[in-house]
Amino acid sequence: MASGRCLSAWMFQGVEVPWCPDGEFRQTVSMSASGLARGASSRVTVWAQAHGMDAEGRELEALVGRGTAELFLVDASGKETPLPLDAKGRWEREDSGSLWAPVTLPAVPDGDYQLRARLTTPLGTGTVDAALPLYAPARVRVLTDRPLYEPGHRVRFRAVALRAKDLSPLDGRPGTWKVMDPSGEVVLEERAPAGNWGVVAGDFPLDRGAPTGTWTVAWTSGGASGDATFTVEPFTLPRLRMEAMSPRPFWRANDTPEVTGQVSYASGAPVADTDVTLAWSHAGAWPPPTEWLRGELPTKARTDAAGRFRVTLPRVPQDLRGQATLSASLEAKDPTGEPVRGGVSLLLSEDAVAVSSVTELEDGLVAGFSNRVYLRATTASGQVLPGAEVMVTRAWDPRDKGVSAVADEDGVAAFQLDPGPAVNVVVPPLPVRVQPRPPPVSLASSRDLLGAQGGQSSLEDQLALERLLPVLHPCARFVSPSSGASMAEFVVRVGASGQVLDVAGAEEGLEACMASALRAKGLPARAERMLQLRFQVMDPGLPSIRWNTQVAFGDERGVSEGLTVAALDARSCLPPTLDRAVAVPGVMTWRRWADKPELALSWVTEPATDDALPAAVLACVKERFARIRVPASTQAELLAGRRPSEAMGVVRFITQPTYGGNGIPRPPQATTFLGYELKVRAKWDGQDMGETKFVLRPARLPPLRLRMTPVLAKAGESVKVELLRGPGFTGELPKTLELVAGPTRLKEKLDPATRSARFTLPKDFEGWAQVEGVAATARVYVAPRASLTVEVSPDKPAYAPGELARLQVHTRVDGKDGEAAVGLFGVDETLSQLAPLPGADALDGLRPSPSVATPAFGVLDGQALAMGRIRGANAAAAALLRVTAVPTLEDVETPLSASATSPFSPDAELTEPFYAVLTELHARTRKWEETAPEGETLNPEGLARLWAESLAACEQRGQKVTDAFGRKLRLSRLPQDLLALTDPRTVVVNGTRLPEDVVNWGAWVAREAP
């Protein structure tokens, strides 16, 4: 060793360490790489690390500075494929001693691979493997053959895996099926690669004791996964079928709606002469008449000999506004009592046509400006009117001749529309239906205190009290509208004849009124009893009386309390239909004395107004205020003379209607706002379809807009981009525009005269392209070139039970016969009564769709664009206005990082030879204990001698007696935990063979280094 370096290690092994190793160097190989992807160049770094120990027991670690490396791609079967290097085709060595080189992975199929590095150095050849899952981003969908199974059935499922970038099938892609029960426990996990067309199928037999609930089946492959749920529960396929429908798609005001239907067996035989029950509900802003939901709507029908039935509803009121839906749940039973259920909905519509709109300006209009507006006119039930002539006029201007346009294939018409100045738009209020109030008085409890153990009153008394409740209803006027409810409690003593003899707790107001009514009616004759009564009393919704007290002298102590009871009593005088506040034409004067509980009252007549109360009502009100008493507590305070006891003043009264009570409802208020009310009329196929109104709000014009023509284009087609400036635009128009079409960026000069530029789309392009670089957005969509259609037809129109049916499947690609993967799942149609069956759109989510704020016209969303379901140019342009983000192209695969180091554990390699020698040491120590002279003890030197003999014996037998670095297992080289196992006091069994003078074993070994 010289200059802090072991020269022999550097010269012969390429390892730079400060001390020479005691024994041999051990080598580990490491590898690191990032950005690994098929067809892409990435940097791979490999290095070898030397590990050793010096004579003092210090660890030595350093990179091996010499060597050569090789790279391999290893597939799942273990086959090695050498990876050639990029560029110069050689490894470069860094200053640290590691090797690096650029490598391009070959275009191998998806799967789980390993990246293997083999490094040869003066210390030997080492290999390290790093996991390398190469999977392209994929979209996976899973379907089961039906949604509902019973325990014991066999579940069949199928998945399709498509490359996310181009939706091409991923044939042979490895994957794994997992089936999980309702608790989440995995009951099946098996590897299943995708076959042709990226389709993989599987099945799973359900045990007869399988738990019921929702199960999940999933297929996972390289980070992509799809799953489907199915239900497991016992069921029986319905033998019956219920069909119900509305003969017309919608019903208008003054129409008499009908429901027709049929009940039959699954075989088609009718279920005759059976009852059909209907339960109704409604949805929509317009409230149906209260009578409809209280029993006027038919709740029963009966089938005829053919199993058919018809139900007629009441006439639709004239006040129908907008649209509302009446829905009915139907149920019928066959003679055996087996039920069948169904449903039907009736659409009620004010107008025969419906209109929705999309504009370029926040779905609003700008006054005095040529607005681009897209209108979709349909029938009230939503039927599209392709080719219809749509006319728009200003609803508030009878002189406006309007503008007209022809709708495209999706029923959307495009207009350039100047709405004129914004006007006050008045939206009529919806009708208000007064809901009948529940009975204001109900019996809460009744106890007979003279009965057995003070228990409940007799059933006879309870029935009598229930029958007397209508007599008590007028007393509900004493419940204040502000409280809404009150509990009346009092006690009556009833004689044997049933006459009420005495009442307690009913001095005035509510209780006094109810007690008076019971006195007049009485109860059944039987034994004398004392009834403790509790009644729940609700405000009846009568008009109320408010007052204003003016004190001329003194104070109004006790006056308000007395007026409150009288005002509640006077509510019964007022007309229930009182619809406005009316002042009582009179002033009441009052005088209070300390020694008199009653107020002195008089009335002063005032001139009556046109809307004054009728004379009979006024007389009734005055009669209720004829006697007002000061409360006893207040009277006692007045007699005490703490404050002036006399007082005088006047009271004025005003009646107040109670909205929503038994009177008229609160008058509905119309909604008024600034906007544009337009009238739309549609003619279709030479027939006037009707007209309707719709309203748009004012909008603002942005500084800059872009308009693309066409918005649905074909690959290689030319598209025009036009810049439209607003009043707020400042600055200069850009010189060029850039259209981003996937990885391609197209630049064209902007024509300053027309403020437009033309782009020619790439011939192989499909997907979304958009203009970038300006403060506005315009997009164009190029649908995929390939279109697939599938036709399935049976070889016969009908089959007998047990007969084999054959289906003919015909697939066409781009209008020509072509191959395609077709999945067929056949189930009994009656299963749809128990669980919803998947439809033709079950795989729609495989194609990425753009994000939209809200679907255009409420129906044209991003999925409709992506799937090519929008045919009309106007509809497509309107749908693109709602697009907020387009799906980005996914890379062929996500770049991976890989790193690994070959394993090396010196402690693990030391353990096995140590225990072999330790076993030999124990054997030799037992033999010494048996043969040594009496009194001889084993000291540290003796044990070190036995260890050396054990080491030699194991070596002679061919057992390994060296550590990870090739050094013999000397006691001084053992770690403390293993050295402690060789302590004489641990090895020797007979304690008399140990010296009484104990020498610390670890210290002795450290000192003597045996």
Side-chain angles (χ1 to χ4, degrees):
M1 178 175 68
S3 302
R5 176 191 295 182
C6 178
L7 293 178
S8 62
W10 171 250
M11 293 176 61
F12 297 107
Q13 297 171 315
V15 180
E16 185 175 0
V17 289
W19 301 282
C20 290
D22 180 16
E24 301 174 353
F25 277 121
R26 288 294 301 275
Q27 174 178 271
T28 58
V29 178
S30 300
M31 172 177 54
S32 176
S34 60
L36 292 169
R38 288 168 288 190
S41 179
S42 54
R43 174 171 171 151
V44 179
T45 304
V46 297
W47 65 93
Q49 187 92 4
H51 305 268
M53 300 285 289
D54 70 354
E56 302 297 328
R58 290 171 292 198
E59 294 184 2
L60 303 176
E61 284 189 3
L63 290 178
V64 181
R66 302 174 197 156
T68 59
E70 297 176 282
L71 287 178
F72 303 90
L73 187 64
V74 184
D75 61 17
S77 64
K79 179 183 177 182
E80 284 187 351
T81 301
L83 294 178
L85 306 182
D86 297 349
K88 298 179 181 179
R90 66 186 182 189
W91 291 90
E92 300 289 340
R93 187 172 296 278
E94 297 179 335
D95 295 339
S96 62
S98 59
L99 296 171
W100 71 271
V103 176
T104 300
L105 296 181
V108 293
D110 286 2
D112 294 309
Y113 295 85
Q114 288 184 327
L115 182 62
R116 176 171 295 171
R118 184 172 296 139
L119 190 58
T120 302
T121 71
L123 299 182
T125 299
T127 301
V128 62
D129 293 336
L132 191 62
L134 296 178
Y135 290 92
R139 295 182 178 272
V140 178
R141 284 295 180 273
V142 177
L143 295 174
T144 58
D145 62 335
R146 48 196 171 99
L148 183 62
Y149 302 86
E150 283 191 293
H153 284 181
R154 180 175 292 275
V155 184
R156 292 180 172 84
F157 34 81
R158 185 173 295 178
V160 59
L162 304 179
R163 192 184 306 274
K165 182 178 181 180
D166 53 11
L167 299 184
S168 59
L170 290 170
D171 299 353
R173 178 163 171 137
T176 302
W177 282 115
K178 282 187 180 180
V179 178
M180 289 156 283
D181 67 10
S183 67
E185 181 181 355
V186 178
V187 296
L188 171 69
E189 183 172 3
E190 66 178 10
R191 296 184 62 84
N196 295 336
W197 306 95
V199 176
V200 55
D203 60 75
F204 174 72
L206 291 170
D207 187 81
R208 293 192 179 276
T212 60
T214 301
W215 290 56
T216 303
V217 55
W219 190 76
T220 304
S221 172
S225 179
D227 61 71
T229 59
F230 57 90
T231 302
V232 176
E233 62 182 26
F235 68 90
T236 302
L237 285 176
R239 296 186 306 112
L240 307 177
R241 180 182 293 114
M242 165 82 74
E243 297 177 359
M245 60 173 294
S246 171
R248 288 162 54 178
F250 60 92
W251 306 86
R252 302 185 63 189
N254 295 323
D255 287 344
T256 303
E258 292 182 348
V259 172
T260 60
Q262 184 176 20
V263 182
S264 60
Y265 291 100
S267 62
V271 180
D273 199 29
T274 188
D275 287 331
V276 180
T277 60
L278 301 94
W280 294 93
S281 63
H282 78 283
W286 177 76
T290 55
E291 298 82 4
W292 282 15
L293 302 181
R294 281 173 38 215
E296 277 198 11
L297 294 179
T299 57
K300 280 192 175 182
R302 195 162 186 84
T303 61
D304 58 16
R308 297 187 178 90
F309 63 90
R310 179 183 297 271
V311 174
T312 303
L313 279 68
R315 188 177 301 275
V316 179
Q318 187 65 38
D319 61 8
L320 175 63
R321 294 291 180 270
Q323 290 189 346
T325 302
L326 283 178
S327 299
S329 299
L330 297 89
E331 183 180 59
K333 296 180 180 179
D334 72 347
T336 66
E338 180 177 345
V340 60
R341 297 175 180 86
V344 66
S345 294
L346 303 177
L347 177 63
L348 310 181
S349 180
E350 178 183 6
D351 298 321
V353 295
V355 172
S356 53
S357 65
V358 173
T359 77
E360 293 181 331
L361 307 173
E362 304 170 351
D363 281 347
L365 298 176
V366 176
F369 179 74
S370 179
N371 297 264
R372 175 67 65 89
V373 182
Y374 299 96
L375 292 182
R376 184 173 185 261
T378 66
T379 65
S381 60
Q383 179 187 352
V384 178
L385 305 176
E389 182 183 354
V390 183
M391 175 170 285
V392 181
T393 57
R394 300 171 186 169
W396 51 271
D397 186 0
R399 299 170 300 175
D400 184 22
K401 296 181 179 180
V403 293
S404 62
V406 177
D408 62 10
E409 295 91 328
D410 294 300
V412 179
F415 296 87
Q416 292 297 137
L417 184 64
D418 177 8
V423 297
N424 283 329
V425 177
V426 179
V427 180
L430 292 171
V432 177
R433 313 294 188 196
V434 180
Q435 299 295 330
R437 300 177 69 88
V441 182
S442 59
L443 178 63
S445 66
S446 63
R447 296 177 61 83
D448 184 0
L449 302 183
L450 296 179
Q453 301 178 354
Q456 293 291 333
S457 59
S458 66
L459 181 59
E460 186 180 8
D461 280 343
Q462 292 185 45
L463 292 175
L465 289 171
E466 293 284 354
R467 287 194 296 267
L468 288 175
L469 289 180
V471 179
L472 305 180
H473 288 177
C475 297
R477 66 183 184 273
F478 287 98
V479 177
S480 171
S482 60
S483 63
S486 180
M487 189 67 71
E489 302 182 31
F490 54 94
V491 178
V492 297
R493 183 182 172 196
V494 183
S497 64
Q499 181 181 0
V500 177
L501 303 177
D502 195 7
V503 178
E507 285 76 15
E508 63 179 4
L510 176 62
E511 288 82 0
C513 175
M514 300 181 78
S516 176
L518 289 178
R519 283 181 185 272
K521 293 295 183 179
L523 292 173
R526 62 180 196 86
E528 185 175 345
R529 60 268 194 201
M530 184 179 293
L531 300 181
Q532 188 180 40
L533 303 177
R534 297 178 72 244
F535 294 92
Q536 176 75 30
V537 187
M538 309 294 293
D539 172 33
L542 296 173
S544 58
I545 296 179
R546 294 186 294 122
W547 67 88
N548 179 28
T549 303
Q550 290 180 294
V551 180
F553 173 76
D555 56 47
E556 57 175 333
R557 282 177 295 166
V559 176
S560 293
E561 291 86 341
L563 289 173
T564 298
V565 177
L568 292 174
D569 191 13
R571 295 175 70 189
S572 61
C573 300
L574 303 178
T577 57
L578 186 70
D579 60 352
R580 62 189 181 279
V582 178
V584 175
V587 180
M588 186 180 74
T589 66
W590 56 271
R591 179 77 162 84
R592 187 191 69 203
W593 287 274
D595 57 346
K596 295 181 180 180
E598 293 187 1
L599 300 179
L601 305 172
S602 65
W603 284 86
V604 178
T605 304
E606 289 185 337
T609 59
D610 294 339
D611 58 351
L613 295 173
V617 174
L618 181 59
C620 179
V621 170
K622 289 182 177 181
E623 190 272 332
R624 301 299 169 91
F625 282 95
R627 184 172 178 267
I628 298 178
R629 294 177 60 88
V630 176
S633 59
T634 305
Q635 186 70 19
E637 184 180 348
L638 294 173
L639 291 174
R642 298 189 184 94
R643 288 188 290 179
S645 58
E646 295 187 7
M648 182 181 293
V650 298
V651 181
R652 287 181 169 84
F653 299 93
I654 186 171
T655 62
Q656 182 72 31
T658 300
Y659 296 114
N662 285 344
I664 67 168
R666 183 180 298 275
Q669 301 295 320
T671 303
T672 304
F673 58 89
L674 281 177
Y676 308 99
E677 186 177 23
L678 303 176
K679 185 184 298 182
V680 178
R681 177 174 292 275
K683 293 182 179 180
W684 184 54
D685 199 19
Q687 192 175 24
D688 188 358
M689 304 301 295
E691 68 177 20
T692 188
K693 293 180 181 179
F694 79 105
V695 176
L696 290 173
R697 301 271 183 166
R700 61 182 181 84
L701 198 62
L704 186 65
R705 292 175 294 143
L706 290 179
R707 183 177 292 165
M708 184 85 74
T709 307
V711 294
L712 291 181
K714 297 180 180 179
E717 190 176 359
S718 175
V719 295
K720 176 183 177 182
V721 180
E722 184 179 3
L723 274 72
L724 303 173
R725 294 169 293 184
F729 179 79
T730 58
E732 299 292 332
L733 291 174
K735 303 296 183 183
T736 60
L737 292 179
E738 186 175 29
L739 182 70
V740 180
T744 305
R745 290 181 173 268
L746 306 174
K747 287 188 177 181
E748 293 292 343
K749 290 184 178 180
L750 183 70
D751 185 351
T754 61
R755 304 172 314 284
S756 63
R758 282 197 170 273
F759 295 89
T760 300
L761 296 172
K763 293 184 178 181
D764 58 347
F765 176 72
E766 58 184 50
W768 295 89
Q770 62 184 22
V771 176
E772 294 185 356
V774 293
T777 303
R779 300 182 178 93
V780 61
Y781 180 63
V782 178
R785 292 181 296 276
S787 62
L788 174 66
T789 59
V790 181
E791 297 176 3
V792 182
S793 58
D795 60 341
K796 297 195 319 185
Y799 299 88
E803 191 175 357
L804 182 64
R806 290 178 172 82
L807 298 179
Q808 297 175 352
V809 181
H810 188 198
T811 58
R812 297 176 65 85
V813 180
D814 287 341
K816 300 179 180 179
D817 295 346
E819 294 182 341
V822 179
L824 296 177
F825 300 95
V827 296
D828 193 314
E829 186 184 12
T830 56
L831 186 66
S832 63
Q833 298 185 40
L834 304 178
L837 302 179
D841 57 351
L843 298 178
D844 281 359
L846 283 170
R847 185 176 296 279
S849 60
S851 301
V852 296
T854 55
F857 314 112
V859 293
L860 302 181
D861 57 7
Q863 192 67 42
L865 274 170
M867 299 300 294
R869 294 174 181 160
I870 300 179
R871 299 167 298 168
N874 297 333
L880 256 71
L881 289 176
R882 294 296 180 89
V883 173
T884 57
V886 299
T888 57
L889 289 176
E890 299 184 60
D891 294 331
V892 174
E893 61 189 54
T894 303
L896 303 175
S897 296
S899 60
T901 301
S902 58
F904 172 59
S905 177
D907 292 341
E909 295 189 30
L910 172 64
T911 302
E912 183 177 351
F914 167 77
Y915 279 104
V917 179
L918 182 64
T919 301
E920 181 67 21
L921 175 64
H922 277 270
R924 288 180 176 271
T925 303
R926 297 290 86 72
K927 184 176 181 181
W928 173 84
E929 289 182 89
E930 295 173 357
T931 59
E934 187 71 26
E936 184 177 346
T937 60
L938 186 65
N939 55 19
E941 291 85 352
L943 185 62
R945 184 182 63 256
L946 289 175
W947 176 265
E949 293 174 358
S950 300
L951 198 67
C954 290
E955 186 177 15
Q956 188 175 5
R957 291 196 297 265
Q959 293 178 286
K960 183 180 179 182
V961 293
T962 58
D963 62 7
F965 305 102
R967 303 177 301 169
K968 284 192 177 182
L969 300 183
R970 292 173 51 184
L971 291 172
S972 57
R973 290 172 177 163
L974 295 178
Q976 289 299 319
D977 56 340
L978 298 184
L979 180 63
L981 298 178
T982 64
D983 192 315
R985 305 186 69 83
T986 302
V987 176
V988 174
V989 175
N990 188 353
T992 62
R993 291 293 190 175
L994 293 171
E996 294 184 64
D997 179 37
V998 180
V999 176
N1000 185 285
W1001 173 245
W1004 184 87
V1005 171
R1007 183 177 66 252
E1008 300 296 333

